[in-house]
Amino acid sequence: MLILSKQLELKLAHLSTKPGVYQFKDKSGGIIYIGKAKSLRNRVRSYFQQSRKVDAKLSRLVSRIHDLEVIVTDSEVEALILEANLVKEHKPRYNINLKDDKSFPYIRVTNERFPRIFPTRKIIRDGSQYFGPYTDVQSMRMLLKTIKRIFAVRTCNYDLVQEKIDQGKFKLCLNYHIKRCYGPCEGLIDEKEYNNVIAYVINFIKGHTKQIEHDIRDHIAELAAQLRFEEAARLRDQLNFIEIFQQKQKVVDQSLTDRDLLAVSTEADDSCCVVFKIRDGRIIARQHYYLNGVQDETKEAVVTAFLKQYYLKNEEIPGEVMLPVEIGDEIKTINTWLLQKRNAEIKFSHPVRGAKAHLLKMCEKNAKLLLDELKLEKMQSPDYITNSVKALQSDLKLEHPPKRIEGFDISNIQGTNPVASMVCFVNGVAKKSEYRRFKIQSKQTPDDFLMMKEAVFRRYSRLLRENKSLPDLILIDGGKGQLNAALQGLHEAGVENMPIAALAKRLDEIFVPGFSDPQNIKRGSAGLHLLQRIRDEAHRFAVTYHRALRKQRTLVSVLEKIPGVGGKRRDLLLKHFGSVKKIKSAPMEEIEKVDGISSELAREIYLFFNPKQ
């Protein structure tokens, strides 16, 4: 039963029914979750109702709530905006969070008489326009390079006030002479004409090039009619550069509709969201963002959280947004918010067939590939811990993540050829170079408990003698009996307080020291799946070794059936030939060459394997 603090109970009893934002806090006062509500009273109190269906993540959240803070707003849209801003600022543990994107650059169009255009990672609220952020820095640089080639925008940092221009304070630079600047520093272009060029640049950045091409063609025709052929040729070159740049952009929509395509790929606690920006029917950009805190969340919840955080900082909103899933009633609030922000209608769609659905699938493939890249990058870090290891730490309530796990199994048939295997998994992956196998020496009767005790004792007494590191967790294949035997082996080896568990085959029950009953671990847990893989691999390795020994023993015993061949001569023959198979096929003259084998005995051995000779 959930026990609430008096402070929290009092606040829950006096919640407002108005819309707003709520913040859950832990004992230290830290914000662990931020949400919005149409009715604060109904929404917040629902977290603490016994009848509410809860998952593992929600259960952990509720158990840590110690205090509550609410902010009442005038509308649900205001609550949505405030929620998105607060989540971006605080990044609470149990929210779906867009990973820090401060390193992503923007394109800045400065707020000056003669604006400049350049990349920046710092936003200054001085009236400048910003486009981005660009998650693909290379594509942004290519865009800026194309802009400089097509539009002669100044790159100097002069303060071009009219008084200084009139006084001749500035001199033309090389860019003017190579046709890369209009020369505003000497008044060779007026402010209005220059800003018309900047308007073209902004449309070009947004991907709206059709109107630019149309205007340039009209201007070329006017200049040609006035016999100003040199200026017309310059505009023609601009038009050619625009067309070359467009050829690199994939045409996906002949209707020339502006839209954003959004796709998401999720695995464990990580997610990648990809946005394809389609303008004038062409894909002009692909942006990708990573999110965390998505464990146990639905795809709809991830998409909803990303929508709010993405469009919170993006001013350019197209007329249509295509989503990989339908996200329920909250889309109405998001639509109202973006309608106010864009001052025009927005269509949200979820295509399931046709060309649009095909585009979404392409977007989803990109998201999956980018998420795989993130996983590979993480795995190269020495601090990386796989999700299955994290889940196992949580399932078994271990103090440290079990990055190195060693698993044991026993194999024998009625006590004959008893062997033990030890497999090693590091960060959830089998490390076969660390596998070990043992011929059981102390017991030749079918007593699996004593065999397990011997294997564990021999392994860890040796590690201690050689001053080597112990594993983070030991896994025993079996039940309570095998677990107790392994504990005795550890004790005799001088190892105490070692994390250890046993996994029984029949019902996949997990036993740990100090508990007579098996531990309750969710069947779908990644931690349980990891234990099962280790158990099965230990069993495979033990059985393979046991079969090899049985086969070897069967073949070796055949030699001892030959009159005159005892243990010593058997070993001499095997040492010379390497196997019984080679002895069978050897000629009598070759057998005679073995030390200690007479001609008569060589003949006996040869006829034993070749009775028809």
Side-chain angles (χ1 to χ4, degrees):
M1 183 177 177
L2 188 64
I3 301 174
L4 306 180
S5 66
K6 291 183 178 180
Q7 181 184 9
L8 183 56
E9 285 184 342
L10 186 63
K11 290 184 177 181
L12 289 174
H14 295 86
L15 283 169
S16 170
T17 57
K18 291 184 177 181
V21 171
Y22 54 93
Q23 303 175 50
F24 290 139
K25 299 181 179 182
D26 59 16
K27 288 184 178 180
S28 65
I31 299 172
I32 57 175
Y33 185 79
I34 297 173
K36 72 163 186 66
K38 187 175 182 179
S39 168
L40 285 168
R41 182 180 180 84
N42 294 343
R43 177 64 172 166
V44 174
R45 289 167 68 92
S46 69
Y47 283 88
F48 305 96
Q49 293 173 355
Q50 297 297 324
S51 59
R52 179 186 175 102
K53 185 179 179 181
V54 296
D55 53 32
K57 181 177 180 179
L58 185 57
S59 178
R60 291 193 299 270
L61 166 63
V62 173
S63 67
R64 292 188 60 190
I65 297 173
H66 183 73
D67 196 7
L68 165 70
E69 183 178 330
V70 299
I71 303 172
V72 177
T73 60
D74 291 331
S75 67
E76 192 177 357
V77 172
E78 285 185 17
L80 184 145
I81 299 170
L82 180 58
E83 176 205 24
N85 277 295
L86 290 174
V87 168
K88 186 178 188 317
E89 179 182 354
H90 296 287
K91 296 191 178 298
R93 169 68 181 85
Y94 291 96
N95 279 93
I96 299 173
N97 293 302
L98 199 64
K99 290 189 178 178
D100 192 4
D101 60 351
K102 291 178 182 177
S103 62
F104 294 148
Y106 291 78
I107 292 177
R108 180 183 178 188
V109 181
T110 60
N111 181 26
E112 301 174 275
R113 289 184 70 237
F114 296 94
R116 292 170 293 147
I117 299 172
F118 54 85
T120 183
R121 296 179 190 272
K122 185 177 181 180
I123 294 179
I124 302 173
R125 301 297 180 185
D126 63 350
S128 297
Q129 294 187 63
Y130 294 87
F131 300 92
Y134 287 88
T135 59
D136 187 344
V137 179
Q138 186 176 358
S139 67
M140 183 205 68
R141 288 174 178 165
M142 184 182 296
L143 176 60
L144 285 171
K145 185 178 179 180
T146 305
I147 289 170
K148 289 179 180 179
R149 194 171 186 180
I150 298 173
F151 306 101
V153 178
R154 76 181 181 105
T155 58
C156 64
N157 58 0
Y158 295 145
D159 182 17
L160 299 183
V161 297
Q162 192 60 45
E163 182 181 354
K164 291 182 179 180
I165 295 173
D166 294 340
Q167 292 174 358
K169 295 283 187 180
F170 313 111
K171 296 297 180 183
L172 294 171
C173 65
L174 178 63
N175 281 340
Y176 173 80
H177 297 290
I178 61 173
K179 312 297 184 185
R180 293 291 177 88
C181 180
Y182 292 112
C185 59
E186 287 197 7
L188 301 180
I189 183 173
D190 62 34
E191 185 178 348
K192 181 179 179 182
E193 188 177 354
Y194 184 91
N195 279 284
N196 285 338
V197 175
I198 294 298
Y200 282 145
V201 173
I202 290 172
N203 277 324
F204 189 80
I205 293 172
K206 292 181 176 180
H208 298 146
T209 58
K210 293 298 179 184
Q211 187 60 45
I212 299 174
E213 294 176 74
H214 182 268
D215 290 349
I216 290 176
R217 287 193 179 95
D218 287 348
H219 200 183
I220 290 173
E222 290 176 9
L223 292 172
Q226 298 171 17
L227 306 182
R228 295 161 63 183
F229 298 116
E230 185 175 345
E231 295 176 60
R234 186 174 173 182
L235 288 177
R236 180 205 60 204
D237 292 342
Q238 283 187 351
L239 191 61
N240 289 337
F241 285 136
I242 292 173
E243 289 174 350
I244 291 170
F245 182 77
Q246 285 182 335
Q247 287 172 6
K248 298 176 183 178
Q249 298 172 334
K250 184 175 180 179
V251 179
V252 294
D253 189 356
Q254 298 298 331
S255 68
L256 307 184
T257 303
D258 291 352
R259 55 169 63 98
D260 283 352
L261 274 68
L262 191 152
V264 61
S265 179
T266 299
E267 184 173 325
D269 198 41
D270 289 314
S271 182
C272 178
C273 288
V274 170
V275 179
F276 277 9
K277 303 179 79 169
I278 300 176
R279 304 294 183 266
D280 286 346
R282 290 181 171 86
I283 298 176
I284 67 161
R286 184 199 73 175
Q287 297 177 322
H288 67 277
Y289 301 86
Y290 296 113
L291 297 93
N292 54 21
V294 300
Q295 187 88 42
D296 299 323
E297 296 285 1
T298 63
K299 193 172 184 178
E300 292 84 346
V302 176
V303 172
T304 302
F306 177 72
L307 267 177
K308 291 186 280 190
Q309 296 183 55
Y310 177 73
Y311 286 113
L312 178 70
K313 59 184 178 178
N314 278 270
E315 298 299 325
E316 188 190 356
I317 305 168
E320 183 179 358
V321 178
M322 289 165 50
L323 305 176
V325 289
E326 294 179 352
I327 59 174
D329 292 339
E330 192 159 7
I331 195 67
K332 297 176 183 177
T333 309
I334 295 174
N335 202 346
T336 304
W337 164 47
L338 295 181
L339 174 62
Q340 294 174 2
K341 192 172 182 179
R342 184 174 182 264
N343 292 322
E345 288 289 339
I346 301 168
K347 178 185 177 183
F348 286 92
S349 63
H350 167 53
V352 293
R353 61 178 64 87
K356 291 183 179 180
H358 180 73
L359 283 174
L360 269 181
K361 286 182 180 178
M362 179 180 68
C363 199
E364 287 173 351
K365 287 180 181 178
N366 278 261
K368 179 67 170 64
L369 288 171
L370 288 164
L371 187 60
D372 289 342
E373 286 180 11
L374 176 66
K375 287 166 56 183
L376 287 173
E377 184 180 328
K378 279 185 170 184
M379 290 175 69
Q380 294 173 358
S381 169
D383 298 325
Y384 174 66
I385 301 173
T386 61
N387 289 303
S388 59
V389 171
K390 290 179 183 176
L392 183 56
Q393 180 186 5
S394 175
D395 291 338
L396 297 182
K397 298 177 177 59
L398 301 175
E399 185 176 350
H400 303 289
K403 291 189 71 172
R404 182 185 178 96
I405 305 173
E406 293 183 354
F408 289 82
D409 190 20
I410 300 294
S411 182
N412 68 96
I413 296 179
Q414 295 182 344
T416 61
N417 298 111
V419 298
S421 69
M422 189 220 79
V423 298
C424 178
F425 276 58
V426 177
N427 218 0
V429 179
K431 191 173 183 179
K432 295 192 175 183
S433 61
E434 297 289 329
Y435 285 17
R436 298 291 184 269
R437 53 193 187 186
F438 308 86
K439 284 184 180 179
I440 299 299
Q441 301 166 353
S442 61
K443 201 72 178 174
Q444 293 298 318
T445 58
D447 190 335
D448 285 359
F449 299 156
L450 287 178
M451 294 177 187
M452 183 63 74
K453 175 185 173 182
E454 178 189 334
V456 171
F457 170 79
R458 286 168 58 184
R459 169 63 178 169
Y460 296 110
S461 58
R462 180 169 183 172
L463 287 185
L464 291 178
R465 286 197 309 271
E466 296 176 354
N467 199 26
K468 292 184 178 179
S469 300
L470 297 173
D472 301 305
L473 175 67
I474 298 171
L475 177 67
I476 303 300
D477 183 3
K480 286 186 288 186
Q482 284 84 354
L483 176 63
N484 290 331
L487 285 170
Q488 291 177 27
L490 286 173
H491 179 72
E492 291 182 11
V495 178
E496 302 294 342
N497 301 320
M498 166 63 69
I500 185 171
L503 180 61
K505 286 188 179 72
R506 191 169 65 88
L507 297 174
D508 283 335
E509 294 176 329
I510 297 175
F511 296 90
V512 296
F515 295 89
S516 58
D517 295 326
Q519 298 302 293
N520 183 22
I521 295 181
K522 190 169 64 173
R523 289 292 171 188
S525 168
L528 177 59
H529 291 164
L530 175 58
L531 291 181
Q532 290 168 336
R533 283 195 291 123
I534 297 171
R535 187 267 316 276
D536 294 343
E537 177 67 355
H539 180 70
R540 181 200 65 80
F541 194 50
V543 169
T544 301
Y545 184 41
H546 176 65
R547 286 173 179 168
L549 289 182
R550 281 171 52 207
K551 184 177 180 181
Q552 182 183 8
R553 180 177 177 181
T554 301
L555 291 173
V556 168
S557 64
V558 170
L559 293 174
E560 296 177 358
K561 294 179 180 180
I562 304 172
V565 177
K568 186 175 181 180
R569 285 174 175 160
R570 177 200 65 197
D571 294 341
L572 288 171
L573 286 165
L574 288 172
K575 184 177 180 181
H576 182 86
F577 289 100
S579 69
V580 175
K581 185 177 180 181
K582 289 183 179 179
I583 298 173
K584 286 182 179 180
S585 59
M588 188 166 58
E589 294 79 8
E590 184 67 26
I591 299 173
E592 289 178 0
K593 293 179 181 179
V594 179
D595 291 338
I597 304 296
S598 64
S599 299
E600 292 79 6
L601 183 55
R603 179 176 176 79
E604 287 289 337
I605 295 170
Y606 179 77
L607 291 175
F608 180 83
F609 290 114
N610 303 277
K612 295 182 180 180
Q613 300 297 324

